[in-house]
Amino acid sequence: MAGGSAVGGVPAVARGAHEGILRRQKARESAARTYARALPIVPVRARGLTIEGADGRRYLDCLSGAGTLALGHNHPVVLEAIRKVLDSGAPLHVLDLATPVKDAFITELFHTLPSGLADHARVQFCGPAGTDAVEAALKLVRAATGRTGLLAFTGAYHGMTAGALAASGDATDVRVARLPYPQDYRCPFGVGGPRGAELAARWTESVLDDPKTGVPHPAGMILEPVQGEGGVIPAPDVWMRRMREITAARSIPLIADEVQTGVGRTGAFWAVEHSGITPDVMVLSKAIGGSLPLAVVVYRDDLDVWEPGAHAGTFRGNQLAMAAGTATLSYVRENRLAERAAALGSRMLAQLRQLARELPCIGDVRGRGLMLGMELVDTETAPAPAPARIVGGGSPDGEPSEAEGSPATARAPHPADPELAAVVQRECLRRGLIVELGGRDTSVVRLLPPLTITDEQATAVLDRLADAVETAARAHVDRHPGRSRPHVPAPGHRRDSHRAEYVTQHHD
């Protein structure tokens, strides 16, 4: 037979090419590689939500370049914008020189900004990654205030360079004051909901106002409106407003890290818009480049005290990224994809919560817009003792949610189960679904689909995910004989035509 014998529907030649590339990657690339370890695929073609591997298998991509692909892979408007620049003969690399392509990008970007910032904004183009934009923002507020200290939050992730890491939640050499980030499921105060958010705000005030805390007046506060790598934890809107009030009253610049939450991801064009606040500084990357490397800092003009060359970067003049970014920003805005993300995300969240009621291993489901997370827990290990009084979970706007009083919020949570989460990720991949893991213990299954995902595709994603969790839960019990078998529906009961077709054609 041409191409050699097929295994699992995959021709031998294709399988050999796939395996050879993976072997060479393992032999030649750094041990620091991450996604490639959990996702041993070799993408060769992609469009929208779908990736095709070198072995011929197709996958629904709910990683989206860690949130970079707002319009999915190779969207026509992005490709057209890139081709237009290439065909025009325009320079591709211009450092920080002015060009028509850059001018169009800045105009569109400013058109989308919160009104309180857009009217008095400056923009600094940085190196190609969000972490460099974070570094620039930290340098900016230090230069503008003459102070050096910073306020950041537990669970934060701001990048992999030195300053960004220092502000992130797993920093060890701490030069940043760490404050509690409010959450319902694992509330640092054991109460959750509006009460937990209020206690977190009071703690922040105490740290700033008590002269004996050892925290000098800081140069700035940096926060994520939704903690992504921290476990998909939306900040309550009322808490966001309190942080804005606290920082404004003390002349502390507020930096909003919108690297992953921006460009419609959470159901608003910028996640800070849910709470109605206007930060002093916004750090932007990922989706603003339309799938290509681009990072900027946008800030109030009165903070613009930098001397020429105070922050630079060789690749800050990426013309192709600016063109792709302009096309992406305008497409999201004109087609109201943020509103679409809010509506579809709400429906997906409701379906995931229903799944959590069926499967005890799902401790919590949370998110905002199309930034969703499902935390997996070890139900055989007793949870920590519950406090005397539990306040039910709240929604991001600070009001009690419909989940109040549910098992996820009415008792102390079980320990995280990263081993189960890893099994779920592998089972998803076997079913043609790419998901990311995150959270404090890498126990949160994350969904970051493109904003262009259709209702039919969303159903296929949730069906495959549900089937994967059910299978993983059973396998987890089989590997641990002392555990009680979960009461879950029969495997495959949610298969739709998309999943059935994938299993028939591609499943080993």
Side-chain angles (χ1 to χ4, degrees):
M1 184 173 66
S5 60
V7 179
V10 180
V13 172
R15 179 177 290 275
H18 163 90
E19 292 176 350
I21 291 171
L22 290 179
R23 280 197 304 271
R24 289 189 291 276
Q25 181 189 43
K26 182 178 181 180
R28 300 189 293 204
E29 291 189 27
S30 163
R33 66 191 187 282
T34 54
Y35 296 109
R37 296 178 184 275
L39 303 170
I41 62 176
V42 181
V44 293
R45 277 174 292 275
R47 187 65 171 250
L49 181 68
T50 304
I51 286 178
E52 182 178 337
D55 58 359
R57 298 188 179 193
R58 293 186 178 183
Y59 304 87
L60 300 181
D61 181 13
C62 282
L63 175 58
S64 300
T68 298
L69 305 172
L71 303 184
H73 294 276
N74 293 321
H75 193 280
V77 300
V78 173
L79 297 183
E80 180 183 0
I82 293 172
R83 290 192 187 104
K84 185 176 179 180
V85 173
L86 291 173
D87 293 343
S88 72
L92 302 183
H93 183 291
V94 295
L95 296 171
D96 62 359
L97 301 179
T99 71
V101 173
K102 178 195 275 190
D103 183 65
F105 173 78
I106 295 174
T107 298
E108 180 61 35
L109 176 64
F110 277 34
H111 189 68
T112 69
L113 293 176
S115 58
L117 183 58
D119 297 339
H120 306 282
R122 293 287 185 273
V123 61
Q124 168 69 30
F125 287 83
C126 305
T131 188
D132 189 71
V134 170
E135 297 282 352
L138 302 184
K139 287 169 62 176
L140 173 70
V141 296
R142 283 169 168 151
T145 64
R147 303 189 290 265
T148 59
L150 294 168
L151 301 175
F153 292 88
T154 55
Y157 176 77
H158 297 293
M160 294 299 292
T161 51
L165 277 174
S168 298
D170 56 356
T172 54
D173 183 14
V174 177
R175 296 181 177 89
V176 178
R178 199 79 53 199
L179 300 168
Y181 192 91
Q183 56 172 307
D184 292 333
Y185 190 58
R186 299 189 187 277
C187 175
F189 304 104
V191 294
R195 179 62 176 163
E198 173 61 22
L199 289 173
R202 290 188 183 185
W203 183 280
T204 300
E205 287 182 309
S206 174
V207 166
L208 290 171
D209 296 342
D210 185 342
K212 296 299 184 181
T213 59
V215 177
H217 199 52
M221 171 190 286
I222 184 168
L223 57 76
E224 299 159 276
V226 180
Q227 287 192 344
E229 295 299 322
V232 193
I233 303 173
D237 291 343
V238 65
W239 178 84
M240 289 285 289
R241 290 190 283 269
R242 285 293 305 278
M243 293 303 100
R244 175 68 286 189
E245 293 167 0
I246 288 169
T247 53
R250 293 160 180 81
S251 299
I252 301 170
L254 177 62
I255 306 168
D257 182 341
E258 291 254 19
V259 168
Q260 191 169 89
T261 55
V263 194
R265 170 61 56 188
T266 68
F269 207 99
W270 306 108
V272 293
E273 293 177 308
H274 290 294
S275 61
I277 71 165
T278 300
D280 303 298
V281 183
M282 292 177 67
V283 179
L284 314 176
S285 189
K286 293 192 184 290
I288 67 163
S291 76
L292 298 180
L294 189 63
V296 303
V297 180
V298 179
Y299 52 92
R300 285 194 345 253
D301 54 9
D302 61 299
L303 296 174
D304 196 23
V305 300
W306 271 339
E307 296 293 329
H311 194 80
T314 301
F315 294 102
R316 64 193 184 279
N318 187 338
Q319 292 267 86
L320 292 182
M322 292 175 195
T326 302
T328 298
L329 294 172
S330 61
Y331 190 89
V332 171
R333 176 177 56 81
E334 292 169 2
N335 291 276
R336 304 178 67 85
L337 292 190
E339 291 88 337
R340 159 79 176 160
L344 180 57
S346 179
R347 294 198 298 272
M348 293 178 72
L349 197 62
Q351 293 175 64
L352 289 171
R353 283 175 174 157
Q354 176 57 41
L355 182 66
R357 285 189 277 271
E358 299 175 14
L359 300 174
C361 64
I362 302 176
D364 192 30
V365 172
R366 52 189 180 255
R368 201 159 202 175
L370 290 176
M371 191 171 181
L372 304 171
M374 179 176 69
E375 183 167 345
L376 299 177
V377 297
D378 178 3
T379 57
E380 294 301 307
T381 301
R389 175 176 177 266
I390 293 287
V391 176
S395 64
D397 61 9
E399 297 299 324
S401 70
E402 65 178 64
E404 184 169 356
S406 70
T409 58
R411 55 174 166 73
H414 288 283
D417 197 336
E419 181 183 347
L420 176 59
V423 176
V424 168
Q425 186 183 40
R426 289 195 295 272
E427 290 295 332
C428 283
L429 194 65
R430 293 183 64 219
R431 288 157 175 77
L433 176 62
I434 298 172
V435 297
E436 183 180 12
L437 299 183
R440 266 71 160 180
D441 299 289
T442 322
S443 62
V444 177
V445 177
R446 300 188 60 195
L447 296 178
L448 290 164
L451 308 188
T452 51
I453 185 174
T454 66
D455 289 351
E456 185 180 29
Q457 289 173 330
T459 298
V461 166
L462 294 180
D463 283 347
R464 296 180 190 192
L465 176 60
D467 198 39
V469 176
E470 292 166 5
T471 301
R474 283 191 172 89
H476 207 47
V477 169
D478 292 340
R479 286 196 304 274
H480 300 83
R483 292 175 182 263
S484 58
R485 182 168 293 276
H487 299 286
V488 298
H493 80 289
R494 292 183 179 82
R495 290 180 185 174
D496 65 353
S497 59
H498 293 281
R499 215 193 76 69
E501 179 184 4
Y502 176 83
V503 171
T504 300
Q505 296 182 0
H506 302 292
H507 194 44
D508 284 337

